[in-house]
Amino acid sequence: MIVGIVWGTILAMMRLSSSKPLNWFAQAYVTLFRSIPLVMVLLWFFLIIPQLLQKVFNLNAASDLRMTSALIAFSLFEAAYYSEIIRAGIQSVSRGQMFAAQALGMTYGQTMRLVVLPQAFRNMVPLLLTQGIILFQDTSLVYVSALADFFGQAYGIGERDGRIVEMLLFAGLVYFIICFSASLLVKRYQKKVAV
């Protein structure tokens, strides 16, 4: 989530940039990752990243890089969604704030870092947290790379004990409780912030 927000912020800044190559790159990146299902991205990264990392860092072929490739895939995929949230948050800040900061002699970088981004992040925290909940739900998709997450472990235990349905229902209930509780906290925060 942190890597996705950082990379998403950079992409959002590129999308808002007057530089055509930066704007084009960020727009192409966001469009690409938002047009492909996450399962496909995880599969691509599962098949490509381990081999690439082994060649670049001269790692042993037996090294298990599935978790690393899954983290990279999630970070890059979620950054496209965070980018759009952050871009909308930046655009929600009044242009007068930018003009006032420039009138005080601040550079563009100082204006964004000290005036615009803090206000934008305050406006978009509920959306960022909601996207974090979606990311948590999406982590169950790591089964495509044979990683053992909570869902995969529940399935394995259910298969071992002959109680697959019960264990999958239990896993679904745990996901529901966590996500529903997190959603309630986000709504509570949203009401607190909305003044």
Side-chain angles (χ1 to χ4, degrees):
M1 186 173 170
I2 293 168
V3 173
I5 289 174
V6 170
W7 179 228
T9 302
I10 293 168
L11 286 169
M13 299 299 293
M14 293 167 88
R15 287 280 313 263
L16 296 171
S17 170
S18 58
S19 169
K20 293 286 184 195
L22 291 177
N23 189 303
W24 182 85
F25 170 78
Q27 191 168 356
Y29 180 96
V30 169
T31 301
L32 174 72
F33 277 98
R34 290 185 66 172
S35 301
I36 299 171
L38 178 57
V39 173
M40 291 297 299
V41 174
L42 287 168
L43 279 173
W44 290 345
F45 276 76
F46 173 65
L47 298 172
I48 297 168
I49 294 297
Q51 294 173 4
L52 183 70
L53 290 175
Q54 286 169 350
K55 286 181 182 174
V56 170
F57 295 111
N58 217 12
L59 298 173
N60 183 357
S63 300
D64 187 8
L65 300 170
R66 291 177 301 166
M67 181 60 85
T68 304
S69 65
L71 291 173
I72 292 170
F74 276 118
S75 298
L76 296 179
F77 184 83
E78 290 297 321
Y81 289 88
Y82 286 127
S83 168
E84 290 299 287
I85 294 169
I86 293 165
R87 184 173 65 93
I90 290 170
Q91 290 176 328
S92 74
V93 176
S94 168
R95 301 257 323 143
Q97 298 287 326
M98 184 81 116
F99 297 139
Q102 290 172 344
L104 291 172
M106 290 185 178
T107 65
Y108 177 78
Q110 289 174 324
T111 301
M112 290 305 287
R113 188 169 38 90
L114 300 172
V115 178
V116 176
L117 284 177
Q119 292 179 66
F121 272 104
R122 184 173 185 264
N123 293 341
M124 61 187 149
V125 163
L127 289 172
L128 292 174
L129 293 174
T130 301
Q131 189 64 33
I133 294 168
I134 293 168
L135 173 60
F136 172 72
Q137 292 170 340
D138 288 346
T139 59
S140 64
L141 294 175
V142 296
Y143 74 87
V144 297
S145 58
L147 282 174
D149 69 319
F150 178 70
F151 178 78
Q153 291 290 346
Y155 187 84
I157 291 169
E159 196 171 52
R160 181 194 71 198
D161 296 344
R163 298 191 175 274
I164 293 175
V165 173
E166 291 90 343
M167 288 307 295
L168 292 181
L169 287 173
F170 172 72
L173 179 65
V174 170
Y175 272 105
F176 173 78
I177 290 170
I178 292 170
C179 293
F180 184 72
S181 301
S183 295
L184 289 177
L185 290 173
V186 169
K187 284 180 184 175
R188 178 182 246 170
Y189 176 80
Q190 200 169 10
K191 286 179 184 175
K192 191 176 185 180
V193 171
V195 178

